[in-house]
Amino acid sequence: MSLQGGGIPCSLIRGGSSRGAYFQEKHLPADKIERDALLLRIMGGPDALQVDGIGGGHPLTSKVAVIRPSSDVEIDVDYLFLQIDPLKQIVSSAQNCGNLLAGVGIFAIQEGLIQAQPDETRVRVQMLNSQAICHLLLRTPGGEVDTRGDTSIDGVPGTSAPIVCNYLDIAGSSCGALLPTGNSVDLFDGMEATCVDNGMPVVVLRASDFGLSGVESPEELDRNEALKQQLEAVRLQAGRAMNLGDVRNKSVPKMCLVAAPLAGGVIMTRTFIPHVCHKSIGVLGAVSVATACLALGTPVAELAQVPEGRRKRMKVEHPGGAMEVQLDLDDAGKVVSAGVVRTARLLFTGEVMG
Ligand code: NQM
């Protein structure tokens, strides 16, 4: 059977608690407008189900990773993340994704962009959305990627091999500063908020200020239209204050409602990404919220249970369990690196029709 126009090499990978289509940059059109039109056709839409594409009908399963070899000797591959809005038909590079990042090493090895080592392989990735760097450590017995293992992450059934993700220097990666408004607390529509960017721009607010306990299910929160309107009004103001400009059509900042932790973690969260409530929490979203817990005098720090010491292992509680983040601080209390453990799995590799 011959297919009109031929296909585009593509792999579908579950990265962390998200799923996305991974492409080599050289297989996509160089022209951005053509590239985005093609990706919208591939993922499907405008349609909530993305029935005419390979997207999964939710922001967490409507994602694309574009990979290329790096020209920098300190970096193996460059990774561009694109969020595809199933309904609005927007392709946005305004944010990073630490979940799809977890799948970048598997893709780079499978495509021959880097050579796997006999036991473990370190893949040095530059995130083109923010120029920040992350080192991924993958299990590669006998020089082959092995995704089988006994590590489980909340939000994903079953277990797989761990992928250790070490982020270097991510403070202010999208907004230019860790506290982009210059304040640790801002007031928007009378609500106290902490605007933070440690890899992901997030506006952290008390759930109780919205009359919520902070443990409502994502489905219940998604049905609460009045809440979503209030949050969007705050988000538009916070976006400008965070140097992100008009964020009406942007997927950042995320909106995180916090409450006291319930299961031994540091803080309880419900995160809107930004118009749908996350089933768990994004990786860099969790790193940013954990970092906000350290900013004394903020509403989130008052609710948080922060462990002692310069190396802090912090469980950020969310609707599906908790995401453990490790923050390393210097003598001055500044966060110098962040680490998370994720898993990823190659689901298919082949050609997708554009
Ligand atoms: O915060 C969801 C996800 C994400 C992004 C989102 C992510 C991150 O769960 O690094 O991983 O916040 O849009 O994949």
Side-chain angles (χ1 to χ4, degrees), residues 15-19 58-61 63 79 81 83 95-101 127 167 199-202 251-252 254-255 271-274 276 278-288 323 342:
S17 51
S18 282
R19 194 177 70 211
H58 189 282
L60 299 179
T61 48
K63 300 186 163 204
Y79 150 59
F81 169 68
Q83 178 72 56
Q95 73 164 87
N96 266 317
C97 176
N99 273 312
L100 282 210
L101 174 61
M127 297 181 275
Y167 292 94
M200 181 67 75
V202 183
S251 56
V252 283
K254 312 290 175 185
M255 305 301 285
T271 310
F272 282 80
I273 56 168
V276 174
H278 204 302
K279 307 270 181 224
S280 50
I281 190 169
V283 177
L284 289 159
V287 170
S288 286
M323 164 114 51
R342 300 271 81 197

